[in-house]
Every structure is written in structure tokens, then in C-alpha cells.
Amino acid sequence: MYQVPTQSLTMDEKLIFEKSKPGKEGCSLPREGMVSSGLESGIPPSLKRTAPPVLPEVSEPEIVRHFTNLSRCNMGVDTNFYPLGSCTMKYNPRVNETIAQLSGFRDIHPLQPADTTQGMLKLLYELERHLSLICGMERFTLQPAAGAHGELCGMMLVRAYHKKHGNGKRKKVIVPDSSHGTNPASAALFGFEVVVVPSNERGRVDRGTLDRVLNDETACLMMTNPNTLGLFEDEIVPIAKLTHERGGLLYYDGANLNACLGKVRPGDMGFDIVHLNLHKTFSTPHGGGGPGSGPVGVSKEIVRFLPSPLIAFNKGCYTLEDSSPDSIGRLKLFHGNIGVLVRAYAYIRSMGSAGLAQASEDAVLSANYLRNKISKAYDVPYNDFCMHEFVASAARQNLKGVHAGDIAKRLIDYGFHPPTVYFPLIVKEALMIEPTETEPKETLERFIEAMLAIAKEAEENPDIVKKAPHTTVVGRCDEVLAAREPTLCYQAPK
Ligand SMILES: *Cc1c(COP(=O)(O)O)cnc(C)c1O
């Protein structure tokens, strides 16, 4: 049986502020010759400090050890397998980082005149062309800062489109019951009424139901393909046709594009508006809240509504072009999260079209391999050939009082980041597993062994699973308290 490593992580309990001793220094600046920048004279008196800031005073080795030890209490793609379903936690190639740090990219300012930033503008222009080709869309805006921000942009485009066509009474957005929470949230946030349609017994959007709910009040149908069960919506072409016949638009949540690169394009499936999550599919680092990037691509009919500015290429020169008077305006300062865009560009160019297609093939192969092996001990409710991820269930383990969340915690003891749990909502005790293409077979085998071992533990010794993790510095947190009363910065003891 798989042996759980016995050595636990330990951590110096003290916070860096508590290690502070007046007079200690972590860096040595020259005492003499420090020149005032003169900038402080421009600060309004009301914004000036009246007392020096309270900062910890520690030596350099203390601060290095503090942060290094903290980082070792965490899991990331650089330390552990990270099969967090729907999040595409693939390895982030280091070449992307090297390129993003070239001074020509790193040290420029967005307010510089365009004739001094031609290289960056060219990169953005080409990135837009590549994304358009990969997705079969006419143009992209690179402004949105995340998938959810892209969805909001999409909803603004939907409304602008219908308004322009005199269909202001189209107020309903249809989402499947398997959809990611951000889909209905984005639609509702922008004032649309959300209509949820149930999935059929094959885990796909039900065409019959759609036929009943699609009408002249429908603004848009939002879909993810493959959907969040990891299943390809194989009726997408007739669904798109039906939606268009009824005057609605089709929105593509591109979070699962990692299953499709070089294989099938949302534009060819009939989608009008598409968001991508560059931090997922295009390998830029994510987790911990950002930064991300959620470019939005559109078909020809919707280009005129895109956020402004777009990047144009005229007479050998890249320029920022204010788009049409129908534009929904600006969505984000400057050009979006530009460091993320540079990394995604580097990824696309280093992979090439054959490499991207290979990535999707390998992602799908890995997911099916895991699904096949793990389904020996766990229920897989929609056990069909999957795309880049699949959803298992802890329903069988639940009979012994073990929940999906317990299995997730126990996986940490075995050295794996947990999968996504309790999503999608339509699977009871969901364990959503996405291995991505960047893991060697040996890692997949170790993960399978761990999953099977935990199933056995749930059967024979459920307490060890229910009380997991046993090897971490912090075990289970009070998640409600953490959400209601978060402590986000150091508070000195009174
Ligand atoms: C991640 C995800 C989103 C939201 O994207 P963010 O970049 O996290 O805002 C939307 N839909 C699906 C299916 C996702 O997996």
C-alpha cells in the first residue's frame, strides 16, 4: 500500500513582526550621499505621513528564512501535482518568464508615445491575430482582466448588439445547470434575467428544453464546451442554429479551451462571443487571485461594439485606434494585464500550432486514463469518454460518512493538491479532476494509487480520512469565520 510520508512540515510560529527588534536592519543603504528625489514636494500635505510606518526590523537571513519557510507550507504547480478541475493548473514554462522580463517589455510605460512602444504593440497585435485564428473569431479585445471580467464584457456586448438592432426587450440569458457560477452571476450583475436549463441524462444541454425556452425575450445562451462535466456538447451546431433562428446570441465560456486547441474552434461551432482564460489554457501563472487575463473575441457583426482602443497596423506602424462610436468603451486601464499577455504570446509562439494541438490531445488522454482507473473505486456519474477533465463522486464513500472534502484533504497528506470539490452542482459529492497535459505518466500513476488507497481507507478506517490532513502546518480552517471575519493584515496584540 502507498506509504504516506511521515515527516510533517513544521514552521516557526512567530510572525515576522514578533521577531522585530528595534535597530535591526535587513539591508544596508549608505548613510551619506542619499539624495532626495524632490518628489515629496509634490505630495499634498493631507496625504503626508505624520508618523513613520510601523515596519518589522529584522536581519536579512531572518526575512529570507521567514518567507522561504512560508512558501514551503503551501502547494503550487512547481511543487505538487495540481489537478484542480476547471482551473487548468498546467506547468508554466520558464521561457515565458524570461521573455516577460526583457527590459523592452518590462520597463516601458503605457503613456509613452506609440512610436516608442512599437515592439509591444506588435506583440499585442500578433497575439490578437493568433487568438482569432485559434478560435475562429474576427477580432479580440485584450483588456478584460479575468474570465469573469470577460463574461461581463460579453454581456455588455450582447446588450449593445440587441439595442442597436432594436431588440431592447431581450432581457433573458439562458445558462445550463452545469454552468460555472460566474456565468449566471455576470448576466445578473449586468441586469439580465437568468434562465437555468437542466442537463439531460447524457450530461449535455437538452435540446428539447432549449426549444421551449428560446424565444423573442432571449438575449443570449451561455455555454461552456466541453462543459464542466468534461463532456463535449455534441449537439452544439443544431443548438447554435436554433438560437440564431430565435434571434439570440451564443456566448462561449472558453475556460475549457484546453481540450480544443487545434481541433475545433468556437467560431466554427457557431459562437458569436468568446472569452478565453489566458491564465488557464495559455499557461500563465495563476492562483491566489491573479493577475489573470480574459480576452474576448467576437464575430464580424459584433466587432463594432468591442471595447476601445484596438490596435491597428497602418503603413508599417502599430497604432491605438479608437473603435467605432458603437463601442462599449474602455474596460480596463491601458492594455489590460500586459505581463500576462506577453507570457501567453511566448507560450503560443514556442508551442506552434502542432504543439498546441498536441497539448490538447495529451490533456484529453491523461483525463481519460485517470477516469478509467479511478472509476474502479469511485462513482463517475456521467461515465462517458471525457475531454480534458472528468467529474467523479464520493457518493460511495459517503456511505461511511466520508465526504468529497475529506478526500480532498487526505490527498494533501499524499502530496497532491486537491481536485475541485462540490462543483459542478449537479453531481453529488463532486470531485472534479483535471490532470492537464504537462504531467508525466509516473505522476498520474502515483495519483491513481493515492486515490485508490484513500478509497480503501474510507472503507476500513474512515476516521483517518475524516480528520485529514495530518501532515500540514494548518489543518482545517473555520471557513465560515475566515469568510465573515477575515484577518488580512497583522494586528499587534493590545
Ligand atoms: C475559471 C472559470 C471561469 C472564471 O474565470 P476567472 O478567470 O477565474 O474569472 C468561468 N467559467 C469556467 C468554466 C471556469 O472554469
Side-chain angles (χ1 to χ4, degrees):
M1 196 181 125
Y2 189 89
Q3 274 299 305
V4 177
T6 46
Q7 84 280 15
S8 308
L9 281 171
T10 52
M11 194 184 128
D12 184 350
E13 296 285 324
K14 273 194 179 155
L15 296 167
I16 199 72
F17 277 90
E18 288 157 1
K19 288 180 188 157
S20 176
K21 287 252 168 62
K24 274 201 201 175
E25 276 186 10
C27 64
S28 328
L29 293 175
R31 303 268 161 218
E32 320 276 319
M34 298 276 284
V35 186
S36 156
S37 66
L39 279 177
E40 62 272 23
S41 60
I43 300 173
S46 64
L47 292 180
K48 278 194 178 156
R49 284 185 189 283
T50 51
V54 183
L55 295 173
E57 296 178 72
V58 288
S59 68
E60 183 170 325
E62 281 175 303
I63 197 92
V64 167
R65 285 183 193 142
H66 175 74
F67 284 111
T68 305
N69 285 329
L70 268 186
S71 76
R72 289 173 51 192
C73 299
N74 207 350
M75 274 186 171
V77 275
D78 290 344
T79 56
N80 300 77
F81 179 45
Y82 206 132
L84 190 67
S86 213
C87 296
T88 313
M89 304 302 289
K90 60 171 81 175
Y91 171 72
N92 312 131
R94 288 302 180 272
V95 64
N96 301 353
E97 300 303 314
T98 307
I99 288 175
Q101 282 171 36
L102 294 176
S103 75
F105 293 133
R106 186 191 59 202
D107 298 337
I108 58 173
H109 193 281
L111 291 179
Q112 274 176 236
D115 63 352
T116 68
T117 57
Q118 285 293 299
M120 180 60 99
L121 292 177
K122 178 176 183 191
L123 180 144
L124 298 177
Y125 182 86
E126 288 189 3
L127 176 61
E128 188 196 330
R129 289 317 313 147
H130 288 308
L131 297 179
S132 301
L133 277 173
I134 289 168
C135 294
M137 307 309 285
E138 185 70 15
R139 290 210 71 168
F140 264 86
T141 171
L142 304 175
Q143 285 183 28
H149 197 198
E151 293 170 26
L152 183 70
C153 172
M155 292 303 99
M156 295 168 88
L157 294 170
V158 166
R159 186 150 90 188
Y161 172 89
H162 287 308
K163 234 173 143 186
K164 188 79 186 175
H165 291 84
N167 292 330
K169 73 175 165 118
R170 291 185 176 266
K171 294 225 155 51
K172 295 194 176 163
V173 169
I174 302 172
V175 299
D177 60 359
S178 61
S179 74
H180 192 265
T182 51
N183 291 187
S186 300
L189 188 71
F190 200 59
F192 285 115
E193 201 179 305
V194 176
V195 180
V196 181
V197 291
S199 306
N200 62 21
E201 69 295 338
R202 295 177 58 240
R204 271 82 168 184
V205 171
D206 188 53
R207 235 165 99 191
T209 315
L210 267 188
D211 193 20
R212 267 175 273 129
V213 300
L214 272 167
N215 57 33
D216 60 2
E217 292 191 327
T218 306
C220 161
L221 167 63
M222 293 179 96
M223 283 178 67
T224 312
N225 200 13
N227 65 26
T228 62
L229 292 165
L231 301 174
F232 194 77
E233 296 279 358
D234 41 17
E235 295 194 291
I236 186 59
V237 172
I239 286 175
K241 188 161 173 275
L242 184 68
T243 308
H244 289 147
E245 277 167 10
R246 306 273 164 93
L249 291 174
L250 213 64
Y251 182 91
Y252 183 82
D253 176 337
N256 290 346
L257 194 75
N258 208 44
C260 303
L261 297 169
K263 298 289 166 188
V264 60
R265 309 191 303 172
D268 299 335
M269 296 182 221
F271 287 94
D272 305 290
I273 307 173
V274 169
H275 89 246
L276 303 182
N277 305 61
L278 297 188
H279 43 289
K280 296 181 181 173
T281 316
F282 296 94
S283 89
T284 69
H286 65 305
S293 180
V296 169
V298 297
S299 61
K300 246 193 199 103
E301 296 70 41
I302 302 182
V303 170
R304 62 200 287 189
F305 306 106
L306 275 179
S308 186
L310 295 170
I311 293 158
F313 183 58
N314 286 316
K315 301 193 190 103
C317 217
Y318 296 92
T319 53
L320 294 172
E321 183 185 60
D322 279 328
S323 34
S324 88
D326 295 323
S327 165
I328 59 169
R330 190 182 264 286
L331 273 184
K332 177 95 175 74
L333 272 181
F334 303 125
H335 310 298
N337 282 332
I338 202 133
V340 180
L341 299 174
V342 175
R343 287 170 177 82
Y345 178 83
Y347 179 71
I348 292 172
R349 293 300 305 268
S350 56
M351 294 292 278
S353 54
L356 291 175
Q358 180 80 51
S360 283
E361 281 177 22
D362 292 351
V364 171
L365 181 62
S366 297
N368 276 292
Y369 187 66
L370 289 189
R371 181 182 57 81
N372 186 282
K373 299 283 185 179
I374 286 172
S375 63
K376 293 187 174 32
Y378 294 83
D379 292 348
V380 178
Y382 301 91
N383 204 0
D384 200 349
F385 275 108
C386 65
M387 300 297 287
H388 65 308
E389 65 189 354
F390 68 101
V391 182
S393 162
R396 212 185 297 177
Q397 289 69 30
N398 208 209
L399 301 174
K400 297 276 181 177
V402 171
H403 292 278
D406 301 325
I407 292 165
K409 295 288 186 197
R410 185 64 177 144
L411 274 168
I412 298 172
D413 290 336
Y414 282 86
F416 299 105
H417 190 284
T420 296
V421 289
Y422 305 121
F423 173 75
L425 304 175
I426 56 174
V427 172
K428 191 172 154 257
E429 295 286 342
L431 290 156
M432 185 192 213
I433 298 170
E434 179 183 8
T436 84
E437 71 280 9
T438 55
E439 296 302 326
K441 182 152 178 276
E442 291 76 12
T443 306
L444 303 183
E445 298 294 1
R446 281 198 305 118
F447 181 71
I448 293 162
E449 258 180 67
M451 285 297 286
L452 299 184
I454 294 170
K456 200 152 177 250
E457 288 173 345
E459 198 60 40
E460 294 166 0
N461 184 9
D463 255 15
I464 199 170
V465 186
K466 285 195 263 183
K467 296 207 173 88
H470 304 278
T471 54
T472 56
V473 177
V474 177
R476 299 199 180 196
C477 311
D478 183 336
E479 289 173 18
V480 177
L481 187 71
R484 298 281 151 79
E485 289 174 46
T487 307
L488 299 177
C489 52
Y490 176 71
Q491 286 157 0
K494 302 239 162 59

